[in-house]
Amino acid sequence: MALARVDWHELSSHVREVIESRTGPVRSARTVSAGKHSAVALLLDTADGRVFVKGLRTDHAGIMTQAREAVIAPFVGAVSPRLLWWVEADGWDLLGFEYVEGRHADYRPGSPDLPAVVEVMQRLISIPCPDLPEIKRPEKRWRKYVDDPAELEVLTGSTLLHTDYNPANVLIDSSGTAHLIDWAWPTRGAAFIDPCVLVYRLIADGHTPATAEGWVRDTPAWATASAEAIDVFARANARVWDELAAEAPEDRWKQKMSEVTREWAESRRGTARASR
């Protein structure tokens, strides 16, 4: 469920003062409508340029996802907007990012954005994964969803992964370059996991399983992974979304993602045998 947005003028004067101590005087402020997991989502116009501010109440259940985003930010500046500051004031946890002028990626078949999305994914894979406790591990994230605990071994690895290639989490700037945002689920694991995540997101936007896989087939992460390993992730991920959909039958988006991930997993039946 989307959080109700809090506008600039609805923040306490103390919170606004704390923000302006980092940004300088705010000339204007606009609440951003995109996204649904932040109560504060503000585009601030200041003398030194624009700043994007996102935030949650410190007692919100999702506060840990924002903490993960803050701690990973110093390591992903090559593919993501820079984190300028992280403050807490009057019960608000707030992140200030450099503003990237752009739009959300278009994942539909024929979109000119798709090569840039694949390119930023490959640039991310080349970034060394920091050893931080906030970074998730596949053996914990997906252990409930495999047929045999031994299958988790194929998901482990040392690659830094974003794991949420929702098109709303990819910005395309005026030069056509893609930027990753919303690092709620950074994970250290097998390199092929992010291409897998992109595949089912493409299916959700109208691609067939075959054409979706075609977009990542030539990436080193996918090309060097076994069909069996990809199958393990596809099955486990479908079960994750089935569980999320069962918990929220009124959420049409979760129902759709459950259907999409199940379609992809089922399309891969026999793939491992055929690849031998």
Side-chain angles (χ1 to χ4, degrees), residues 91-149:
W92 284 103
D93 187 89
L94 301 162
L95 305 176
F97 288 93
E98 69 172 336
Y99 176 68
V100 173
E101 183 74 47
R103 55 178 174 76
H104 297 301
D106 180 356
Y107 280 8
R108 291 173 296 180
S111 168
D113 296 345
L114 298 179
V117 176
V118 174
E119 191 272 337
V120 76
M121 181 180 66
Q122 295 197 84
R123 281 194 288 128
L124 170 60
I125 287 173
S126 71
I127 296 175
C129 186
D131 186 12
L132 299 171
E134 292 83 1
I135 295 180
K136 310 292 282 184
R137 297 294 193 275
E139 56 268 31
K140 291 186 177 180
R141 282 190 67 177
W142 289 289
R143 66 183 173 187
K144 289 171 49 181
Y145 308 102
V146 294
D147 294 327
D148 183 335

Side-chain angles (χ1 to χ4, degrees), residues 18 35 41 51 57 65 89 106 111 122 146 148 173 178 206 234 256 269 276:
V18 168
V51 178
R57 299 293 304 184
T65 62
D106 180 356
S111 168
Q122 295 197 84
V146 294
D148 183 335
D173 68 21
K256 177 181 178 179
R269 289 181 179 176
R276 291 172 182 165

